Amino acid sequence: SAPSADSATVGTFALVRFAPTASAQAITAFLQANDATIVRGPNVGGLYRVRIAATVVPKEQRDQLVAKLAAASSIIGFAAASE
């Protein structure tokens, strides 16, 4: 089902490009394991907006969550914080 309006606007977000070799199954499992949800995308650059926390978290915690995504290089090709 499509993300609700709240899931697309409320929370903490990252912009993510998935690794070209990552399978849909691997991406789905990774998102589920990290309580992350795709809320928009892909855009022209292949980036997805992903909710990485259900609430707004402090910048330090957000940066840790983004770093955790980026460290999964077999799944994530690029990750950056998004407002």
Side-chain angles (χ1 to χ4, degrees):
S1 66
S4 70
D6 281 351
S7 71
T9 58
V10 177
T12 300
F13 300 90
L15 289 178
V16 171
R17 182 180 302 114
F18 296 105
T21 56
S23 69
Q25 181 179 358
I27 291 168
T28 299
F30 178 81
L31 293 172
Q32 289 174 342
N34 288 281
D35 294 323
T37 305
I38 295 172
V39 295
R40 190 179 319 137
N43 68 13
V44 174
L47 293 173
Y48 292 81
R49 187 168 193 243
V50 176
R51 185 174 67 168
I52 55 175
T55 59
V56 176
V57 299
K59 180 184 182 304
E60 182 177 291
Q61 185 178 353
R62 180 199 66 196
D63 291 349
Q64 289 172 347
L65 291 168
V66 171
K68 182 179 178 183
L69 293 178
S73 60
S74 64
I75 305 291
I76 305 295
F78 170 83
S82 174
E83 296 304 319

